[in-house]
Structure formats: structure tokens, C-alpha cells
Amino acid sequence: MEGDGVRRHGHVPGENRAATKQPDTRGECGECDAFMDTGRQPLWQEEPAERTRMPDPVRTAAVRAVIIVALTLIQAMVAFLCTLAGSWYAFPAVLCTVASTVVATWGVLDVWVTRQVWIQRHGVRSQPSSTARELRRERRRARRQERRESRGGRSPVDRAAA
């Protein structure tokens, strides 16, 4: 069997896989050939998660907060380096950094407050609850149908005369 030109185990780089009839599923670089027209399907398929877009006021506050925090970090680094160098600019830089830290904290809190206000004013759209909503609709239809059938057995009352 060894002399018939068919290798039973292992893979030689550059060899044609279809001609060798190899039982293993490893390719030249060790990757799995499950995706290569072998009739197998992958275990899972990745789908991008859909994220809803942030509301405009919240996005604006978030961008503003990121810019303020970035500038504060740059100021803190400048103050630290000036302190190490013994520069006269170290003291004013530290004072500016403390003030910027207060402003940056306000900016981050502004994002949170803006988000809460937007949710209170506009509500939240719940996408996954459609299944529960459908079940409630079916139950309502069933109750209405039962009421109609129960009224059908009794004598109808003329509402205009009553």
C-alpha cells in the first residue's frame, strides 16, 4: 500500500489534496479545511450585533466629555514633566490641571445626566419584547372571542333602549 503513491497520514506541502485522498482535515499551515468544500458547515456563523445609535444630545455630550478628559490628561502630563524638570511653569500647570479635573468630572456626569433625561423624555424602544407582545395579543383575542360567544347564548339587550 505504501508504494502506490497515496500517502495515508500527514501532508506534504505543495501536494494536491484531492489526488492524495488523505483522511485528515489539516491543511498546509495547520488550519482546518472544514470550510473548503467538504460538505461540512461551520459550528457557528458570526453576525454583527446591532447597536442602536446614541441620541444626538447624548452623543454631543459624550464627544465633549472625551475632548475635555483628553485635554486634562495632556495638562496633567505637562504639569508632571514640568515638576520633574523644576520649571517655573509647574505650579500654574498643576493649578490648571486641578481645575480641568473638576471640569472633566462635570463633563462625564453631563453625559450620564443627558442620557437619563433623554430616556425619561423619549422612553426606550424595546425590540425583543415583540414575542411577549404577540402572546398578549393572542390572549386578548381569545378573551374577546369568549365574550362574543358567551353573549351569543344570552338574549341581546338593546343598548339604545336601555
Side-chain angles (χ1 to χ4, degrees), residues 56-131:
D56 286 336
V58 178
R59 188 179 318 108
T60 304
V63 169
R64 184 171 47 238
V66 166
I67 292 171
I68 292 171
V69 168
L71 290 175
T72 302
L73 289 174
I74 291 170
Q75 270 187 336
M77 188 177 63
V78 167
F80 177 72
L81 293 175
C82 286
T83 303
L84 286 180
S87 173
W88 65 270
Y89 187 68
F91 183 68
V94 169
L95 290 179
C96 287
T97 302
V98 170
S100 293
T101 303
V102 172
V103 173
T105 305
W106 168 82
V108 172
L109 284 174
D110 182 46
V111 174
W112 181 67
V113 169
T114 306
R115 182 176 173 272
Q116 295 300 323
V117 167
W118 193 90
I119 288 172
Q120 254 187 350
R121 288 183 183 167
H122 301 284
V124 178
R125 292 186 184 150
S126 178
Q127 296 292 337
S129 68
S130 59
T131 308

Side-chain angles (χ1 to χ4, degrees), residues 1 7 10 29 31 34 53 55 57 59 64 79 90-91 104 149:
M1 290 284 261
R7 285 181 59 103
C29 298
E31 74 277 1
R53 182 178 158 136
R59 188 179 318 108
R64 184 171 47 238
F91 183 68
E149 290 173 359

